[in-house]
Amino acid sequence: MNKKILSLILFLLIFFVSGCTMLEIEDYAIVAGIGIDLKDNEYEVIYEIYEERDGQTTNMTSEIKTGKGMKISEAINEIYSQLNRKPYLNHASIVILNEEALNHKFNEIINYLIHDVRIRSASYIMVSKNQTTKQVFEKSKEQNKVIAFDIYKHLDVKEGLISKWTNCKLNEVVNEKLTKNGTVIVPTVTYQNNCDIEGVYLINNNNDKYLSTNEEVFIFQLFNNNLVEGLFDKKGSLSYYINKVDTDLKKIGNNLLININLKVLTYEELNKEDEQQYISDIKK
């Protein structure tokens, strides 16, 4: 009896490992980016779905699918009804909200996204500035490119480089906003002829504040100990590296004592190889 059971188990293992029940990649609609617009209390969800041309990852195109509903789930279900393939969201690198969604439904949207097991917790959360997210993703037609990937290329945090966007991934937003009741930094994006990422929204429980300059963002993150060590700036032939950041804020009576330990290294005329070597060294 034991041998029969063992043989059955081995047969089942061979059957499942062989991939007989697994779907091929062609059976999936690969979602590169997600947009969520809110207008008159109704959601419009946008999926940018990409495909490789001739099997080449460097030659890709995309199509836009949209759905509407009073709930996000209703809008998504409408998208599903239009597709003859199952959406695959693990490659969705960014989720963009329009400003109305940010201002009125941010917590509700973030709570939905983090509980949807299909969506990557490492997706970047962004806000479309003076545009709907649908208008952003529809640029794929005239630009002949996958907009989500192009935005991600501009936003992606390179290892060893100083970053303005240290806590705008979905899991980090949830941790900061819903768990700690802290302030979340969400970058804005505008897409006309190309990708433009400039200001950020600071979102907390009291009010939302828009910071329009990189200097404001830098100061905010400096005071909140959000800065990551690495390449900070380049001016002419000079490269500036921050390799130690520690900010301590103490309230003494009616005064605020600010203690900042900031170590900046300056290098002149680094070529690409030296620069990459330096970045590699400071990561060790």
Side-chain angles (χ1 to χ4, degrees):
M1 178 63 69
N2 289 338
K3 289 183 178 180
K4 290 183 179 180
I5 294 174
L6 181 60
S7 299
L8 177 61
I9 292 174
L10 290 174
F11 172 77
L12 291 174
L13 284 174
I14 293 171
F15 178 78
F16 284 113
V17 171
S18 66
C20 294
T21 61
M22 294 182 64
L23 290 173
E24 299 294 334
I25 194 67
E26 291 82 5
D27 296 320
Y28 286 92
I30 310 298
V31 179
I34 302 170
I36 301 177
D37 288 328
L38 182 70
K39 183 178 181 181
D40 299 330
N41 214 34
E42 182 182 42
Y43 288 107
E44 182 171 21
V45 176
I46 297 91
Y47 281 1
E48 184 182 23
I49 300 170
Y50 81 91
E51 294 182 355
E52 299 174 4
R53 294 176 180 171
D54 303 321
Q56 300 295 319
T57 56
T58 57
N59 189 17
M60 291 185 285
T61 184
S62 68
E63 62 174 337
I64 307 301
K65 294 294 183 181
T66 67
K68 292 184 178 182
M70 301 308 294
K71 297 180 180 179
I72 297 177
S73 57
E74 293 175 358
I76 290 176
N77 287 338
E78 187 175 316
I79 295 177
Y80 276 46
S81 68
Q82 304 170 34
L83 297 171
N84 55 8
R85 293 174 294 167
K86 182 179 179 180
Y88 182 77
L89 284 78
N90 272 352
H91 284 301
S93 53
I94 60 171
V95 178
I96 309 177
L97 316 181
N98 72 341
E99 291 175 292
E100 189 170 343
L102 173 79
N103 293 330
H104 300 291
K105 297 285 188 178
F106 183 73
N107 281 7
E108 178 181 316
I109 293 170
I110 294 301
N111 190 57
Y112 178 88
L113 293 175
I114 200 63
H115 286 96
D116 190 332
V117 296
R118 298 165 297 183
I119 297 175
R120 293 174 58 193
S121 62
S123 299
Y124 284 102
I125 305 298
M126 305 183 70
V127 179
S128 56
K129 185 70 175 170
N130 301 321
Q131 284 179 296
T132 65
T133 68
K134 185 177 181 180
Q135 289 171 330
V136 171
F137 285 119
E138 283 182 339
K139 291 292 179 180
S140 61
K141 298 176 183 177
E142 60 186 71
Q143 296 289 331
N144 198 28
K145 63 176 67 171
V146 181
I147 297 299
F149 291 165
D150 193 44
I151 294 175
Y152 181 79
K153 180 179 67 177
H154 287 80
L155 182 65
D156 188 23
V157 179
K158 304 293 190 303
E159 289 188 24
L161 304 184
I162 207 75
S163 171
K164 295 180 294 185
W165 328 119
T166 55
N167 68 341
C168 66
K169 292 182 181 179
L170 176 57
N171 58 341
E172 295 164 335
V173 168
V174 169
N175 182 55
E176 191 68 31
K177 185 74 168 67
L178 302 185
T179 305
K180 298 181 180 178
N181 290 321
T183 300
V184 176
I185 301 173
V186 180
T188 63
V189 59
T190 302
Y191 210 110
Q192 296 298 339
N193 295 324
N194 48 53
C195 176
D196 185 13
I197 301 174
E198 279 298 330
V200 301
Y201 273 101
L202 303 182
I203 305 168
N204 55 37
N205 289 332
N206 299 320
N207 63 327
D208 300 337
K209 180 178 175 59
Y210 177 67
L211 302 182
S212 59
T213 67
N214 292 340
E215 288 74 17
E216 289 178 317
V217 177
F218 175 79
I219 292 172
F220 174 82
Q221 296 208 81
L222 179 63
F223 282 1
N224 284 272
N225 271 320
N226 292 134
L227 287 178
V228 180
E229 299 176 2
L231 176 64
F232 169 58
D233 198 8
K234 288 185 177 182
K235 294 187 181 298
S237 62
L238 295 179
S239 299
Y240 298 91
Y241 293 86
I242 293 179
N243 75 340
K244 184 178 181 181
V245 184
D246 185 24
T247 304
D248 184 35
L249 304 179
K250 290 182 180 180
K251 188 174 182 180
I252 303 177
N254 294 325
N255 298 317
L256 182 65
L257 179 63
I258 303 174
N259 183 28
I260 301 176
N261 293 315
L262 184 66
K263 185 177 180 181
V264 180
L265 305 178
T266 304
Y267 287 80
E268 186 173 4
E269 295 182 350
L270 281 181
N271 60 40
K272 287 287 184 181
E273 292 182 2
D274 292 337
E275 182 178 293
Q276 292 302 315
Q277 182 60 51
Y278 180 81
I279 291 173
S280 174
D281 291 342
I282 64 174
K283 289 192 295 182
K284 295 178 181 178

